[in-house]
Amino acid sequence: LRLQQQTNLFASFVENGSLPDEASQAAIDSPVVLNTTLVEPRRLLFDGDHRWLYALDTEDNITMIHIEAGLAGRSELSAPMSLAVEPAEVTRVEPLAGSLSLLAADDQGRVTQWFPVSAEGGIRLQRIREFSGLAGPVVALSTEQRRKNFVAADSMGNVALFNTTAE
């Protein structure tokens, strides 16, 4: 995995208001290579604060990568884990706005909410809620920008609106 931080003109100024010298700018713009390989990633998502990168692979496994640690040259990532609730297959994954949570929809008409938790050996995602009510595979999933609502649609034309904080 290769991470590279890009800077804009205003972020490039050093404390005294001048532009950085050539060596400093090269250090800012040079990529950081982490000693890890993602297996066939099919979707990459940032959390709400852009601190974590979620990498979903073709087998519905997700890996969490700590961006700040990666840019500092430290490899901080979770072990890959499945978002699929057996025997279902994941059809859509979206980050919940302004949050670390992820929503994963499946071919059984369910949407599950996942949240990072501290675990032995690091961090992992834990399923915290499940939303049902759709009759077929979820084909569309969209989150609201400012609140904890989302809408999902299934292959049979049903549409449902959910709130992640309502029980």
Side-chain angles (χ1 to χ4, degrees), residues 4-8 28-29:
Q4 185 166 354
Q5 181 177 14
Q6 297 288 320
T7 57
N8 64 30
I28 290 170
D29 291 336

Side-chain angles (χ1 to χ4, degrees), residues 76-147:
E76 258 185 62
L77 53 109
S78 69
M81 62 168 291
S82 180
L83 287 182
V85 178
E86 295 296 329
E89 291 184 23
V90 173
T91 58
R92 298 282 185 268
V93 176
E94 291 295 331
L96 191 57
S99 163
L100 297 172
S101 292
L102 284 181
L103 297 175
D106 66 30
D107 62 356
Q108 305 293 310
R110 289 181 302 235
V111 178
T112 51
Q113 183 179 1
W114 298 79
F115 193 81
V117 295
S118 294
E120 190 174 317
I123 194 163
R124 68 176 179 82
L125 287 172
Q126 180 174 320
R127 186 175 66 196
I128 58 170
R129 286 188 187 85
E130 184 174 308
F131 306 90
S132 56
L134 294 168
V138 177
V139 296
L141 181 65
S142 181
T143 59
E144 236 185 324
Q145 232 179 8
R146 300 189 195 279
R147 296 187 289 188

